[in-house]
Amino acid sequence: METGTAGVESSPGSGVRPPGGASWWREGVLYQIYPRSFADSDGDGIGDLGGIVDRLEYLEWLGIDAVWLNPITPSPNVDWGYDVSDYTGVHPDLGTLADVDRLVSEAARRGIRVLLDLVPNHTSDRHPWFREREDFYVWADEVPNNWRSIFGGGSAWALDADRGRYYLHNFAPEQPDLDWWNPDVRREFEGILRFWLDRGVAGFRIDVAHALIKDRELRDDPVTGDGLRNVYSMNRPETHEILRSWRALCDAYEPSRVLVGEAFVTDVPDWARFYGSGDDELNLAFNFALVHAPFDADSLRSVVSATEAALPDDARSCWVGSNHDIGRMTTRWCGGDEALARCALLLLLTLRGTPCLYFGDEIALADGHVPPERVRDVTEPSRDPCRTPMPWTPSGGWTDPWLPLADTTRNIEDERSDPESTLTFTRDLIALRRVLPDLQAGAYRELEAPRDAWAWERGSGVVVVVNLGREPCDIDGVDGSIALATSRTREGDRASGRLRLAPAEGAVVRRG
Ligand code: GLC
């Protein structure tokens, strides 16, 4: 029996179209939701789609334009949704297709789009394809090369005892890689994309977008001083062809849909290739060079200037500081310091590009504490600390959550009513993007600044300054009034030629 979606009529679902505005993803703010940890509507300790619907009012209040949901499809959860066993269903823990339709239409009513996570590199070994469509996967009679699994670092080849052959798994053994040389795999995925887009989904975040195709001859990855250079096991040029075909598919929708890629490439010029000519491949790609840069002014500004130089005209980076893999920026970049976390928010939201906040960033949420007996993740070290539940209230707002919620000192309820809070700061910053068109579309130009500080202009009307050092510093050449500052009392102050910044302080200055 052949299973799949290519031959199946896709359902019109809710018939809802995401809110229009062809270039919303250029000006807007994305917000990543890890569904199990965001909000629980039925009290079973697992966040779900109903929980997201219940919090749409909050998301609208915050001012974001779109949510990206980590995988919601059925999965044995070896890798928490990234081992998909059915691409057109919904995991029963999270809800039903009807809940997706409800989420898409309720979100649209509030001007919020919904993006789903598409996992095309691999399936679960429990996906029916793995038994029924051997030709969908990458096989060899003997271990053919030196490729290593990203999870665990052992060989990326595992023996399938029934078949007496080896299959490729770039991640866990329970995540066999698909063979993207097979046209039937491509056809199936076109059907999967259409299935969700026809339901009114605004686009996809594409998991492991840089790795879909493997070297046809399965050649050894070259050995370097500190490991292997993944030039054959991933990062093949042919992957771009697939992304281009999906972009054409998305552009044929009205309104057109958006592709945001997890192209895990830190070499900036290589990363920029995922934008193709500028409008024929990914709409956005997460900027992993910035994610992995140390949080100092020199390192960050050199990534930004390399990014500006590498991107095709009109393309824009997707800036992130946290996600469900890398950890929360408040911990990772800022060592828990809330003032520095505000600086991180300030720069993500004011650089030229599209910011993607991870749920909790808006309150400078730090990584949670997950004791060894509560760890659920497949990787070592575990990624669970950045996946702990959203603290909605001073007591959490959860009953016996799937991952522990130990610290609720920073929580949404308290911060929402506090004009001095980081949540209010984030909301005001998002709102400022809307009223200052230079923050959305103005060109980026770096300005002179002392070593530990960073200053840039957006268009002709806005200057952003941030001091990431431990000493106060003066930024010269700044004239105008402070529209928003990490220390809120400074708002409205005027700078005439020189602006003094305390350590871990930043500001948006409106010229004139
Ligand atoms: C991506 C996901 C990560 C997952 C991996 C394998 O990197 O973000 O969570 O474990 O792909 O699917």
Side-chain angles (χ1 to χ4, degrees):
M1 187 191 80
E2 186 175 322
T3 47
T5 52
V8 178
E9 284 285 297
S10 53
S11 153
S14 58
V16 166
R17 289 147 47 100
S23 65
W24 68 266
W25 50 274
R26 292 173 179 276
E27 288 107 38
V29 176
L30 308 179
Y31 185 92
Q32 179 190 353
I33 289 180
Y34 197 78
R36 284 184 176 261
S37 297
F38 187 65
D40 178 12
S41 67
D42 58 8
D44 65 357
I46 299 172
D48 48 37
L49 295 171
I52 303 172
V53 173
D54 293 345
R55 300 293 174 172
L56 285 171
E57 179 277 330
Y58 164 73
L59 295 171
E60 184 184 13
W61 172 86
L62 182 60
I64 54 101
D65 296 83
V67 291
W68 146 42
L69 313 185
N70 288 96
I72 58 166
T73 37
S75 162
N77 283 337
V78 169
D79 188 17
W80 297 101
Y82 286 98
D83 45 329
V84 178
S85 54
D86 171 5
Y87 283 92
T88 56
V90 175
H91 195 293
D93 287 352
L94 306 180
T96 61
L97 277 176
D99 293 325
V100 177
D101 294 342
R102 190 160 64 92
L103 172 61
V104 168
S105 61
E106 295 282 310
R109 266 198 325 114
R110 296 178 183 272
I112 296 173
R113 294 111 185 131
V114 177
L115 278 79
L116 296 182
D117 210 313
L118 183 74
V119 187
N121 181 68
H122 46 266
T123 70
S124 161
D125 61 350
R126 312 272 185 83
H127 194 295
W129 290 340
F130 195 57
R131 289 291 134 221
E132 294 159 11
R133 293 298 304 256
E134 182 170 339
D135 62 318
F136 274 24
Y137 297 87
V138 186
W139 294 94
D141 293 330
E142 302 292 336
V143 172
N145 56 33
N146 64 354
W147 297 357
R148 321 294 300 169
S149 153
I150 290 161
F151 291 173
S155 171
W157 297 90
L159 180 66
D160 179 85
D162 295 344
R163 293 177 171 113
R165 300 184 75 202
Y166 291 84
Y167 64 90
L168 176 69
H169 62 90
N170 265 319
F171 294 90
E174 297 86 347
Q175 294 170 295
D177 278 51
L178 285 163
D179 180 3
W180 278 90
W181 291 103
N182 183 338
D184 285 353
V185 169
R186 298 184 186 210
R187 259 192 299 278
E188 287 290 350
F189 270 85
E190 275 173 32
I192 292 162
L193 264 87
R194 288 187 196 286
F195 176 86
W196 293 110
L197 296 178
D198 290 348
R199 297 194 100 90
V201 160
F204 299 98
R205 174 264 189 188
I206 303 169
D207 190 54
V208 197
H210 56 298
L212 305 187
I213 291 214
K214 285 47 178 193
D215 180 46
R216 211 167 200 163
E217 297 164 40
L218 305 179
R219 280 171 283 187
D220 273 350
D221 274 336
V223 181
T224 61
D226 54 355
L228 299 176
R229 263 182 60 232
N230 303 129
V231 293
Y232 293 121
S233 55
M234 41 185 77
N235 298 307
R236 303 303 302 153
E238 297 87 356
T239 295
H240 294 274
E241 229 175 76
I242 301 167
L243 298 176
R244 277 196 295 275
S245 74
W246 290 351
R247 178 66 184 270
L249 187 154
C250 286
D251 283 351
Y253 274 81
E254 177 45 45
S256 66
R257 311 299 160 92
V258 173
L259 298 175
V260 187
E262 186 209 26
F264 198 90
V265 176
T266 49
D267 176 81
V268 172
D270 283 349
W271 164 85
R273 291 202 182 93
F274 286 86
Y275 288 83
S277 66
D279 60 6
D280 65 349
E281 215 170 299
L282 296 179
N283 300 78
L284 293 169
F286 300 122
N287 193 305
F288 285 104
L290 190 93
V291 166
H292 290 289
F295 198 62
D296 63 63
D298 248 359
S299 309
L300 298 171
R301 78 179 143 224
S302 69
V303 171
V304 171
S305 76
T307 300
E308 287 288 332
L311 282 175
D313 286 352
D314 227 25
R316 35 177 48 225
S317 171
C318 187
W319 303 114
V320 285
S322 314
N323 72 27
H324 65 290
D325 294 326
I326 57 175
R328 292 187 170 279
M329 64 185 184
T330 300
T331 303
R332 207 172 56 80
W333 267 345
C334 310
D337 179 340
E338 193 166 358
L340 265 187
R342 286 192 190 191
C343 294
L345 285 161
L346 182 80
L347 67 92
L348 292 177
L349 284 155
T350 61
L351 287 170
R352 191 180 76 86
T354 304
C356 181
L357 299 180
Y358 183 48
F359 81 98
D361 278 352
E362 67 271 37
I363 54 169
L365 194 63
D367 283 343
H369 175 65
V370 181
E373 68 280 7
R374 296 285 307 267
V375 165
R376 315 292 294 264
D377 190 18
V378 64
T379 66
E380 176 63 47
S382 128
R383 296 165 291 184
D384 289 344
C386 61
R387 299 175 177 181
T388 55
M390 179 76 135
W392 289 105
T393 64
S395 57
W398 292 78
T399 313
D400 195 15
W402 77 295
L403 282 176
L405 174 53
D407 181 3
T408 56
T409 337
R410 290 177 195 158
N411 66 77
I412 302 293
E413 187 179 293
D414 286 347
E415 296 216 2
R416 194 166 165 170
S417 55
D418 175 3
E420 303 298 320
S421 70
T422 295
L423 179 56
T424 305
F425 167 79
T426 308
R427 179 178 186 244
D428 291 348
L429 192 48
I430 294 173
L432 191 67
R433 283 174 63 92
R434 288 191 205 281
V435 295
L436 295 182
D438 273 339
L439 278 183
Q440 294 178 339
Y444 167 91
R445 193 168 69 87
E446 194 181 310
L447 303 174
E448 284 283 317
R451 212 192 47 172
D452 292 332
W454 181 13
W456 63 94
E457 158 186 280
R458 292 295 313 282
S460 55
V462 175
V463 171
V464 184
V465 290
V466 67
N467 177 10
L468 301 182
R470 290 169 188 275
E471 302 296 329
C473 71
D474 291 316
I475 317 267
D476 287 325
V478 185
D479 287 291
S481 63
I482 296 183
L484 190 141
T486 56
S487 326
R488 308 296 311 256
T489 49
R490 299 199 60 181
E491 290 166 16
D493 287 0
R494 286 201 62 82
S496 306
R498 170 168 286 195
L499 184 64
R500 169 149 280 233
L501 290 178
E505 186 173 55
V508 179
V509 179
R510 217 170 162 164
R511 277 193 171 134

